[in-house]
Amino acid sequence: MEEKEISLKELFSVVWKQKYLLGLIFIAGLVLFGIGGFVYNNSNETMVTYVSLQWDGVADGEYPNGQRFDYTSAVEPAVIQIAIESEGLDISALDVRDAVTLTPVVPGNIESVIATALEAGEQITYFATEFKLTLDYKDLGLSEEEGRSLSEQLIIQFRLDFEKKYVSQSIVLDYTGIDYTDLEYIDIALIIETQIELVDSKMEQGIAMDPNFASTTGITFTDIQVRTELIKIIELNQIKSRTNAYLLSKDAEYLQINYQYQIEVKQLELDKEESKEIDNQYQLDNYNGALTTIIIPGLDQEIDIDPYYDTLLENMIMIQTEIAELENDIAYFELLISRLDGTAVGFDVTPQTQAEEIIKVDGFIEDADIKLGVIVEDANELLVEYNQYLTSNIIKPIMSPVVSSDGLSTILIGIVGGILAAGTATLVVLFKHDWK
């Protein structure tokens, strides 16, 4: 028997004769595997974004209150439920929780440092501050846009929940717009003045923290203070001065009772201060003295001081000052009462004049209330934006949610499939050929 080898030329010739068939098979494999790869990748697509956490304590694995931060359960069901409701989706919060994964991102250099430290026998602890948020939106039956919106909403609601628990929120209580009909003018002035003080207090805090911060409308903390100051200078000053000058009242008897009550309160305080004065004076008159000698190195002179006696003198000055103020307050209220009952000398205000002044004061009250209402609204808008600014860097998305797939490229899968199909067909052709 004689054995004859098959030449490469003959192999190529056999394959070339079936080139159209092999080409069709290659294309078929390319298409089929490409479709299969697309379906597989599409079914495994997830929505991915990255979040940076920067609150105090996160680098130590803790919340700001010292509790342990467990990233596996950081996004609570209540937060997820609010996010679902905000997006108007009809899905279960438990399903979403199963579909959400928070994975810590550890930089490569940190891993090297940890490995080196462990090899050297050192103990080192690292807590991630950047996390990868993955949402398996396909399993939830959501579209790509719905998955992206839900991912963003989860971060927003997580931040808001964090703010409620760990960040002090600051707003101005609004006392404007109330019914002043049955209130006395002195009480109305007190309400307006208190509202202004509340606004100014919040603005002072804001200025101390960030004097240059401005809202989206361009309003700053200083702008609000300027507006409240104008109300104090114009409207409030007019209300208080005209009320006192003309003894404006909706119920004169009430005013007398109120002033009498103020006198009684002030008199009680005065009696207490006078008792303190007597006791303090007794200590001064019967003080024996207790000198303390101070020797200063380098000086021949010695200094003798008596610190307790100086303290007694300071106390006496403060007590006497307080007594003088209380006596003046009492005298002022007694003057107002005498004006109300008509016994005051030189005070002559006719009912007609009072009626005219009441119209003016009512106008100032209405103007002050309206302006203050707008100021409080602007102040709270400014404070809300400032609160958001303070927390914007605490929980911050590093990138917008994007679709991600762990599979291979669809084109690559198609090409590999086409090559495998064509290669298999080539082997079949070669084996089925009748070799001579």
Side-chain angles (χ1 to χ4, degrees), residues 352-413:
Q352 182 180 356
T353 302
Q354 286 183 321
E356 292 173 354
E357 292 299 323
I358 284 176
I359 294 175
K360 295 178 182 178
V361 170
D362 285 340
F364 286 121
I365 290 173
E366 183 178 359
D367 290 343
D369 190 69
I370 293 173
K371 290 179 181 179
L372 266 179
V374 176
I375 289 175
V376 170
E377 183 178 344
D378 290 343
N380 280 332
E381 181 180 343
L382 175 62
L383 289 171
V384 167
E385 290 190 23
Y386 186 62
N387 290 335
Q388 293 174 349
Y389 166 74
L390 289 177
T391 57
S392 61
N393 292 325
I394 292 179
I395 300 172
K396 180 176 64 176
I398 300 176
M399 59 173 279
S400 299
V402 296
V403 175
S404 175
S405 176
D406 295 332
L408 298 173
S409 167
T410 301
I411 296 176
L412 179 61
I413 293 175

Side-chain angles (χ1 to χ4, degrees), residues 266-267 269-275 277 315-334:
K266 298 292 183 181
Q267 185 62 52
E269 294 177 4
L270 178 60
D271 294 342
K272 292 179 180 178
E273 292 300 323
E274 288 177 343
S275 297
E277 182 186 28
N315 289 341
M316 179 61 77
I317 293 172
M318 288 190 295
I319 291 171
Q320 291 176 342
T321 301
E322 184 67 23
I323 288 175
E325 291 179 355
L326 290 170
E327 288 175 342
N328 288 331
D329 290 342
I330 291 172
Y332 175 69
F333 285 122
E334 288 176 343

Side-chain angles (χ1 to χ4, degrees), residues 184 249-260 340:
E184 278 294 336
S249 172
K250 298 176 184 179
D251 185 349
E253 183 179 356
Y254 163 77
L255 270 187
Q256 285 184 311
I257 294 173
N258 180 277
Y259 292 149
Q260 188 61 48
L340 284 170

Side-chain angles (χ1 to χ4, degrees), residues 28-80:
L30 177 68
V31 172
L32 291 175
F33 275 82
I35 292 174
F38 174 79
V39 172
Y40 175 79
N41 286 336
N42 189 58
S43 63
N44 285 276
E45 284 181 349
T46 56
M47 195 64 63
V48 173
T49 186
Y50 290 85
V51 184
S52 174
L53 309 181
Q54 297 296 332
W55 64 73
D56 292 338
V58 69
D60 298 321
E62 298 176 346
Y63 282 109
N65 63 354
Q67 291 183 346
R68 179 175 174 269
F69 170 61
D70 184 1
Y71 67 87
T72 59
S73 58
V75 185
E76 300 176 351
V79 173
I80 295 174

Side-chain angles (χ1 to χ4, degrees), residues 108-268:
N109 62 324
I110 296 296
E111 294 181 354
S112 301
V113 170
I114 293 175
T116 303
L118 292 175
E119 290 174 359
E122 300 176 4
Q123 293 293 328
I124 186 170
T125 304
Y126 174 79
F127 294 96
T129 57
E130 280 76 36
F131 292 83
K132 175 183 178 182
L133 178 67
T134 304
L135 175 65
D136 195 350
Y137 69 97
K138 291 288 185 179
D139 282 355
L140 297 173
L142 302 178
S143 66
E144 180 179 325
E145 188 58 35
E146 288 174 333
R148 181 175 289 105
S149 297
L150 181 57
S151 295
E152 294 173 345
Q153 192 62 228
L154 285 171
I155 296 174
I156 292 173
Q157 295 304 326
F158 177 56
R159 178 173 60 82
L160 293 175
D161 182 69
F162 182 88
E163 290 175 13
K164 292 177 183 177
K165 293 178 179 177
Y166 306 108
V167 180
S168 176
Q169 300 294 314
S170 181
I171 61 171
V172 178
L173 297 177
D174 189 1
Y175 294 106
T176 63
I178 64 176
D179 186 5
Y180 296 119
T181 305
D182 298 328
L183 297 178
E184 278 294 336
Y185 291 110
I186 58 173
D187 297 329
I188 295 173
L190 179 60
I191 292 173
I192 294 175
E193 190 171 22
T194 302
Q195 181 69 82
I196 292 174
E197 290 174 354
L198 285 174
V199 174
D200 284 344
S201 175
K202 295 297 183 182
M203 297 305 102
E204 285 291 344
Q205 295 175 13
I207 291 173
M209 296 175 68
D210 190 347
N212 299 318
F213 180 81
S215 68
T216 52
T217 56
I219 298 175
T220 65
F221 298 114
T222 304
D223 294 335
I224 299 292
Q225 276 195 320
V226 170
R227 290 162 64 183
T228 55
E229 187 64 25
L230 289 175
I231 292 179
K232 283 194 292 185
I233 295 173
I234 301 173
E235 284 82 8
L236 183 59
N237 186 55
Q238 290 281 358
I239 295 168
K240 294 172 71 174
S241 61
R242 291 179 182 274
T243 298
N244 291 330
Y246 298 98
L247 281 181
L248 304 183
S249 172
K250 298 176 184 179
D251 185 349
E253 183 179 356
Y254 163 77
L255 270 187
Q256 285 184 311
I257 294 173
N258 180 277
Y259 292 149
Q260 188 61 48
Y261 170 74
Q262 295 295 336
I263 290 174
E264 292 174 359
V265 172
K266 298 292 183 181
Q267 185 62 52
L268 178 60

